[in-house]
Amino acid sequence: MTAADIKIVPLGAGQDVGRSCILVSIGGRNVMLDCGMHMGYQDKRRFPDFSYISGGGRLTNYLSCVIISHFHLDHCGSLPHMSEVVGYDGPIYMTYPTKAIAPTLLEDYRKVQTEFKGDRDFFTSQMIKQCMKKVIPVNLHETIYVDDELSIRAFYAGHVLGAAMFEVRVGNQSILYTGDYNMTPDRHLGAARVLPGLRPDVLIRQGKIVKRKQQILVKALTQQLSAILNVLVKETSSEKFMSACKMVARYLFPFLHLAVRKNFVSSSSRIGSGWHSKSRSTFLKDSQKKLLSITDCLSTGQTKK
């Protein structure tokens, strides 16, 4: 058996961010890698194309297992729909932190869709609970045997708490799926790593170029530091927004007054959508006051009361 015998089919997010879901056929087994939601759509396009697997029927007889790399909704958001609506009763693997956090995010998103946007064609709280009962948590570097030949093993991915890369092995053949990962340690998370000598036949890599953009931002701010008193940072992604704030706090707080304005947009895929303009304005003003107060304290070494 060679790498040519491995079949990889993106069921979502092949050239897009959202609904990450990859079907891997290896050694006569079918493994689903992630099961994400595309939050930019409100119709069936938000889900991966599950019909490719079973032609519209239940998935249990077609899948050996499902693996979730981390708790972000673009990687696990369609899980209750897949297991409870489409139909899947097999094992779902994820790390312990992912299992602990994912239900909270799924329930929060369900409330947004059903209670605020009025979506009637969505999974329920009970479906989330039933789905999570099928989850088998794994430890890093722990080898899990799905059957006599199929095994999986998780490796540290950085990115967020509990994120993991997964090796899938059948006999002498293997693939490594990264999900989202990062190679630059920060204050909270280390760099992704696998065991020395790991040589998969196929590497399925996924990642977003975020750190490089942050480094460019810090460099540009540093170069113009002498001429800058106040900096306005606009970001549409909450993840990038927080990461940029942490980097600026680390390198520039002693010298710089920072006014950070979160750019809320009227889109279903953005945090803050649906807020009234007055609420947004109040939030932004309060946030700026708090951030300016923090920067003043850090730059002077004094605590304001």
Side-chain angles (χ1 to χ4, degrees):
M1 187 178 293
T2 65
D5 299 312
I6 300 175
K7 184 178 180 181
I8 300 170
V9 180
L11 303 180
Q15 295 179 330
D16 194 8
V17 176
R19 65 181 177 193
S20 291
C21 186
I22 297 175
L23 178 66
V24 174
S25 299
I26 175 173
R29 276 74 170 176
N30 294 320
V31 177
M32 180 182 289
L33 303 173
D34 279 333
C35 188
M37 174 88 69
H38 197 307
M39 289 164 283
Y41 295 114
Q42 295 299 305
D43 53 24
K44 65 180 181 180
R45 291 176 295 174
R46 60 189 168 195
F47 302 117
D49 184 12
F50 300 120
S51 64
Y52 177 88
I53 302 175
S54 62
R58 293 179 61 83
L59 303 176
T60 305
N61 295 332
Y62 297 89
L63 295 176
S64 300
C65 68
V66 175
I67 296 172
I68 302 298
S69 63
H70 63 287
F71 58 72
H72 282 158
L73 293 177
D74 60 327
H75 289 261
C76 75
S78 293
L79 201 54
H81 177 84
M82 184 273 296
S83 66
E84 307 308 309
V85 178
V86 180
Y88 174 72
D89 298 320
I92 301 171
Y93 297 98
M94 60 182 70
T95 64
Y96 281 89
T98 301
K99 182 182 179 182
I101 299 172
T104 301
L105 295 184
L106 289 168
E107 175 61 18
D108 182 70
Y109 187 58
R110 183 202 65 79
K111 287 183 178 180
V112 171
Q113 290 298 111
T114 59
E115 297 179 15
F116 292 94
K117 296 185 178 180
D119 192 341
R120 302 302 179 190
D121 186 22
F122 210 72
F123 53 75
T124 65
S125 294
Q126 185 60 30
M127 288 180 180
I128 296 174
K129 294 177 182 178
Q130 290 299 117
C131 173
M132 296 309 295
K133 289 180 180 179
K134 301 169 185 176
V135 171
I136 301 174
V138 302
N139 289 309
L140 294 180
H141 301 174
E142 178 186 10
T143 300
I144 301 293
Y145 287 93
V146 181
D147 59 33
D148 292 340
E149 292 191 61
L150 172 61
S151 66
I152 66 172
R153 185 166 49 161
F155 297 100
Y156 184 77
H159 187 55
V160 293
L161 179 66
M165 303 178 288
F166 279 88
E167 178 194 38
V168 178
R169 178 174 292 275
V170 178
N172 295 324
Q173 196 173 35
S174 67
I175 64 103
L176 179 67
Y177 173 65
T178 68
D180 288 326
Y181 71 100
N182 67 275
M183 295 301 298
T184 305
D186 58 26
R187 290 184 175 185
H188 306 289
L189 299 168
R193 55 187 179 271
V194 298
L195 294 178
L198 186 69
R199 294 291 185 272
D201 294 289
V202 176
L203 171 65
I204 304 175
R205 175 185 177 274
Q206 182 173 344
K208 304 179 184 71
I209 306 175
V210 176
K211 292 294 180 182
R212 177 58 179 164
K213 292 181 180 179
Q214 294 169 354
Q215 292 167 358
I216 293 173
L217 170 63
V218 172
K219 182 178 180 180
L221 290 175
T222 304
Q223 289 175 344
Q224 302 182 46
L225 187 58
S226 59
I228 296 177
L229 295 178
N230 294 283
V231 177
L232 183 65
V233 179
K234 295 178 66 177
E235 273 291 357
T236 57
S237 165
S238 60
E239 184 178 334
K240 294 179 183 179
F241 168 75
M242 293 306 297
S243 296
C245 283
K246 285 189 290 185
M247 292 195 70
V248 171
R250 181 177 180 181
Y251 296 108
L252 301 181
F253 260 165
F255 315 101
L256 187 64
H257 289 289
L258 177 66
V260 181
R261 179 183 185 274
K262 183 73 190 297
N263 183 25
F264 289 91
V265 295
S266 298
S267 169
S268 59
S269 63
R270 302 300 187 190
I271 294 177
S273 62
W275 283 22
H276 296 296
S277 58
K278 184 177 180 180
S279 299
R280 287 200 296 266
S281 176
T282 302
F283 173 82
L284 294 174
K285 288 179 180 178
D286 290 344
S287 298
Q288 286 185 352
K289 288 180 181 179
K290 291 178 181 178
L291 285 167
L292 287 172
S293 176
I294 292 171
T295 54
D296 285 340
C297 293
L298 289 173
S299 61
T300 61
Q302 299 176 354
T303 302
K304 291 188 176 182
K305 296 182 179 180

